[in-house]
Amino acid sequence: MSTAQHPPITVLTSSRAIVSGEMTAATIVVSLSTGKITSVFHSVLPPSSFPAETPYTDYSPHVLLPGLVDAHVHLNEPGRTEWEGFWTGTQAAASGGVTTVIDMPLNAIPPTTTVHGLREKVKAAEGQCWVDVGFYGGIIPGNVQELKPLIQYGVRGFKGFLIDSGVEEFPAVSSTDIAEVMAELADEPTTLMFHAEMIPPIADSVGDNVQWSLPPLAPIGPLNEYKTFLASRPTSFETYAISEILSLALLAPNLPLHIVHLSAIEAIPLLREARTAGIKITAETCFHYLTLASEKIQDGDTRHKCCPPIRTQSNQDGLWDELLWEDDGVIKTIVSDHSPCTPELKLLPPSIAGNPLPTPPSEDDKEMGNFFSAWGGVSSVGLGLPLLWTSAYQNNRKIAPEDIARWCCANTALQVGLEKSKGQLAVGFDGDVCVFDDEAEWVIGEGGEGMLWRNKVSAYAGKNMKGCVKETWVRGRKVYERGRGFVERKPGGKLLLEKRVKA
C-alpha cells in the first residue's frame, strides 16, 4: 500500500506505556503533518497494521511516558546568557525526556515584567529551542498595569518574591502590592505564584515593612558550613510567607494561587487547611528537596546552595509522604527550578570533587566555599525522571512511572494551562513522548552525560543513577536519542504564546 494515499504518520509502541494515568500496552499513532496523536490502541499492534513504509518502532519493554513538562526553569537569556540560554537549556531538557519548559521571568535582563521584556525574550528564543517553551510573567512593585497585556501576549502565569530575589531588577513585593495584583487578576485566566519566604516580624508593631525583605541578621557559625546557611533560612520563613498569602487570598477567590519550590513540611498543614476552606492554592516541590539532604552536604560545597534551602532527611521524608498521600495532597507537581550561573559565581573550592574550574578565581580568595556569597541555584533540568526513579530504587519508595507521569507531566501541564495539549498520551494531544529505560545504570557527568546545560556545575555530578531516557519525541519528531545525541539538524521547538483559557 503506498504511503502517498495516506497522511504521513509515525508509530511508537511498547508493552508498557502510561495512558490515562495507567500502565498498559499501547500503540501511539502521531500525525507528522499536525504533530498530534491521532490514535491510541491499548495493545502492541504489529507493523502490518499500518501502511507500508510507515515509521514504526516497538520499544518494549521500555516505558512510553508523556513528554515531561518542567514548569519552573530559569533560562536567563537575554542579559545573562553566559549563565544559561535557550539553546543549551532546551537541549538539556530534551536529553531528559522534557518536551516543554516554562521559563521564569528572572534572571534575564530585561525581566519578563513588561510586554517589552517579554518581546525581548521571545526575540532571543526564536529559532533556538529544541523543545516547546512557554513563559511566565513577573510581579514587582509598580507593574500592575502590565499584567493584563502580558496575559494577552500569552504568559502562562505570574511569579513574585516575598523576599529578596538576588537580582536588583526583580525586587520583592509587599502585601499591598499583592493586594493590587489580586484585584487586577481576580477574574483572569492565569495563576499567581509566589516564592514564599519572608522574615517574620519580631512584634506586631513591625507592620508591613517586613514585606520589604530585609536581609537576615549576621549568621552565627562558619560561613562555609551548610548548617550555618540552613539556620539562616528557617522553616518559619516559609510558613510566615504562606500565612501572609493565605490572608490575602479572599481578595480574589477565583484566582488560582501556587507556591513555588516548597521545601518546609511545616507549611503543609497550612495549605491543607486552606484548601479545605475552599482556597484555590497548590504547591510544587523540586527534585533537589526530594533527593538531597542537609546532613550529607560537605563543607564549602556551594553547588547545594538554593533558596529555600535543602533541609534535613526527615523533612525530605515528609515531602515524599505528602506526595504519596492517598487523599488530596497539597503538593501537586515536581519541577527542577533549574537556576544555573557561571562556575565563578558558585565560589566552589578547588578541593571539591567535580569543580569544573582548575583553580579558583583567586588562590587566596576567602570567599571560596562561602554559602552566603555564592549564587544560589541547583542545575538539574532534564535530570528529574532518573532522579526520582533512583530515589525510589535506593530508598525503597513505593512510586511507579504512573506517579511520575502525574507529578511531572499531567499536573505540571494543568498548572500552566496546557492540560489540553501536553502531559498525556491521548488523542488530540501533542505527540510528545519520552522513552524511559527503567533498568539502565549510569553516572551523571561521566562523559558529559546528563549535564547538557551551559555550565557543567551541579550538586548531582558523580551521582549513580538508575533509569535513563532513551529517546525524546516532540510533536511526533524524534529530537534526542541516547548515544546519538540530537538527531534533528536544527531545533524545532515552538514558543507557546497562545492565551490561556479560563478553566
Side-chain angles (χ1 to χ4, degrees):
M1 186 179 295
S2 170
T3 57
Q5 296 175 293
H6 300 271
I9 60 172
T10 191
V11 178
L12 314 178
T13 187
S14 178
S15 58
R16 297 193 298 162
I18 307 301
V19 178
S20 300
E22 301 292 336
M23 181 77 80
T24 180
T27 301
I28 313 295
V29 182
V30 186
S31 166
L32 293 179
S33 58
T34 66
K36 298 287 186 180
I37 297 173
T38 58
S39 302
V40 177
F41 301 94
H42 290 258
S43 62
V44 176
L45 298 182
S48 59
S49 300
F50 304 95
E53 300 180 10
T54 295
Y56 173 100
T57 308
D58 184 350
Y59 291 99
S60 305
H62 301 329
V63 182
L64 300 184
L65 288 158
L68 278 66
V69 179
D70 192 337
H72 192 143
V73 178
H74 295 266
L75 292 174
N76 300 342
E77 187 174 4
R80 290 190 174 94
T81 309
E82 70 275 15
W83 294 17
E84 187 65 278
F86 288 101
W87 185 280
T88 50
T90 59
Q91 280 197 337
S95 72
V98 177
T99 55
T100 304
V101 300
I102 311 298
D103 180 56
M104 278 290 162
L106 71 166
N107 301 299
I109 301 174
T112 316
T113 53
T114 65
V115 170
H116 167 73
L118 179 57
R119 285 176 175 158
E120 289 296 306
K121 180 161 284 197
V122 168
K123 186 189 305 182
E126 288 174 344
Q128 290 210 77
C129 299
W130 292 87
V131 302
D132 292 351
V133 176
F135 304 91
Y136 288 123
I139 59 169
I140 60 172
N143 81 324
V144 69
Q145 297 303 317
E146 294 279 349
L147 305 184
K148 287 182 179 178
L150 281 166
I151 291 174
Q152 293 295 324
Y153 207 98
V155 298
R156 314 309 308 177
F158 293 93
K159 177 187 179 181
F161 277 72
L162 279 74
I163 200 167
D164 179 34
S165 72
V167 292
E168 62 181 0
E169 66 274 5
F170 204 97
V173 288
S174 69
S175 57
T176 302
D177 297 320
I178 295 171
E180 292 177 358
V181 168
M182 286 184 169
E184 184 75 358
L185 300 180
D187 297 309
E188 293 294 325
T190 193
T191 300
L192 185 56
M193 310 183 302
F194 298 96
H195 178 128
E197 284 185 290
M198 289 175 63
I199 303 172
I202 56 174
D204 291 341
S205 61
V206 171
D208 198 56
N209 285 338
V210 73
Q211 305 292 337
W212 293 102
S213 309
L214 298 174
L217 299 175
I220 300 174
L223 303 186
N224 71 331
E225 291 186 6
Y226 187 77
K227 65 181 181 180
T228 307
F229 175 68
L230 179 60
S232 77
R233 313 285 291 221
T235 59
S236 59
F237 277 30
E238 291 188 71
T239 55
Y240 183 72
I242 289 171
S243 295
E244 186 71 15
I245 293 161
L246 293 175
S247 73
L248 298 165
L250 293 180
L251 298 175
N254 296 320
L255 178 63
L257 306 176
H258 184 73
I259 305 301
V260 300
H261 51 50
L262 181 74
S263 80
I265 58 173
E266 289 85 350
I268 291 172
L270 297 174
L271 294 168
R272 185 175 291 134
E273 181 180 356
R275 287 174 58 81
T276 300
I279 294 176
K280 295 181 177 181
I281 191 164
T282 55
E284 68 190 35
T285 193
C286 301
F287 306 124
H288 42 276
Y289 300 133
L290 295 168
T291 59
L292 302 172
S294 61
E295 295 95 329
K296 297 180 181 179
I297 297 176
Q298 182 181 353
D299 288 355
D301 194 349
T302 51
R303 294 173 301 181
H304 293 79
K305 179 185 176 179
C306 58
C307 298
I310 295 163
R311 302 195 186 277
T312 62
Q313 183 63 57
S314 61
N315 186 87
Q316 180 191 121
D317 294 340
L319 293 174
W320 276 110
D321 289 344
E322 181 63 19
L323 280 165
L324 296 168
W325 187 261
E326 291 184 2
D327 296 321
D328 183 27
V330 303
I331 303 176
K332 300 296 185 184
T333 53
I334 310 175
V335 296
S336 69
D337 189 11
H338 176 67
S339 185
C341 65
T342 59
E344 293 81 4
L345 293 177
K346 272 297 184 184
L347 300 176
L348 193 63
S351 58
I352 300 293
N355 188 343
L357 295 175
T359 58
S362 173
E363 289 288 357
D364 60 352
D365 193 339
K366 295 180 180 179
E367 289 290 284
M368 301 307 293
N370 184 331
F371 281 100
F372 292 83
S373 300
W375 177 260
V378 177
S379 294
S380 62
V381 66
L383 290 180
L385 180 51
L387 285 172
L388 295 179
W389 195 246
T390 301
S391 179
Y393 176 76
Q394 293 178 343
N395 298 287
N396 197 29
R397 300 190 193 281
K398 298 186 182 302
I399 70 170
E402 297 95 315
D403 297 313
I404 296 175
R406 183 174 69 255
W407 299 324
C408 301
C409 305
N411 286 1
T412 44
L414 177 63
Q415 178 182 316
V416 296
L418 293 171
E419 70 277 11
K420 294 183 179 180
S421 60
K422 303 288 187 183
Q424 301 273 1
L425 297 179
V427 173
F429 281 65
D430 289 348
D432 298 346
V433 183
C434 166
V435 182
F436 183 57
D437 179 352
D438 57 347
E439 293 295 331
E441 296 183 1
W442 57 288
V443 180
I444 294 176
E446 197 169 77
E449 190 163 10
M451 295 201 298
L452 274 66
W453 48 81
R454 175 155 293 166
N455 295 293
K456 316 304 182 192
V457 182
S458 176
Y460 294 111
K463 302 287 187 185
N464 295 312
M465 289 289 104
K466 177 80 169 180
C468 76
V469 172
K470 302 290 288 185
E471 294 183 10
T472 302
W473 293 68
V474 178
R475 284 176 283 104
R477 298 190 182 275
K478 187 194 297 185
V479 173
Y480 172 84
E481 181 177 338
R482 190 172 189 241
R484 289 183 60 198
F486 291 85
V487 296
E488 292 277 305
R489 287 185 296 177
K490 59 181 182 179
K494 291 174 59 177
L495 303 185
L496 305 173
L497 290 167
E498 68 274 14
K499 183 180 175 181
R500 289 181 64 170
V501 177
K502 190 78 172 177

